[in-house]
Amino acid sequence: MEYKSKYIYIMLKCLLCQDETCYLSNFCDDCQVIKRITNCYGKLEVKEILEEVCLRNKKQQTYKINGIIKSKNELNEEIKSLKKI
């Protein structure tokens, strides 16, 4: 006996990342969040933010890395001081 399904599932790659397989949507879960943010703020605003924050030259990368290291060190010292209490 042959099983015939009345539903056809089409497997597609995510339209944004082209990495994950999507069954019921055009976007994977992560890209769906990005799409919602873009819908809220507008694609030009999101593009400007991504370019300003994510795309950095070497000098900006160094400042960012040093800032992260500094904040981690400050957090570790704060944790050490709390352990003493």
Side-chain angles (χ1 to χ4, degrees):
M1 183 170 163
E2 235 176 86
Y3 176 73
K4 293 186 180 183
S5 174
K6 61 181 177 179
Y7 301 107
I8 298 174
Y9 293 101
I10 299 173
M11 295 186 309
L12 300 172
K13 292 287 184 182
C14 173
L15 291 178
L16 186 60
C17 70
Q18 298 289 313
D19 189 36
E20 298 202 25
T21 303
C22 304
Y23 297 99
L24 301 175
S25 173
N26 290 327
F27 301 102
C28 64
D29 292 340
D30 292 333
C31 292
Q32 187 69 36
V33 172
I34 295 169
K35 177 72 172 133
R36 288 184 188 133
I37 293 169
T38 303
N39 289 343
C40 290
Y41 293 99
K43 65 182 179 183
L44 294 178
E45 180 76 19
V46 173
K47 180 182 173 226
E48 287 175 10
I49 291 169
L50 290 172
E51 287 175 341
E52 187 174 322
V53 175
C54 296
L55 301 178
R56 298 174 173 267
N57 61 34
K58 288 292 181 185
K59 186 177 180 181
Q60 291 171 322
Q61 289 174 357
T62 304
Y63 285 137
K64 183 69 173 178
I65 291 168
N66 290 339
I68 291 171
I69 291 171
K70 182 179 176 185
S71 64
K72 283 184 179 181
N73 289 339
E74 290 172 354
L75 183 62
N76 286 338
E77 288 185 25
E78 195 174 312
I79 290 171
K80 286 179 186 176
S81 67
L82 290 174
K83 285 183 179 179
K84 291 178 182 178
I85 296 177

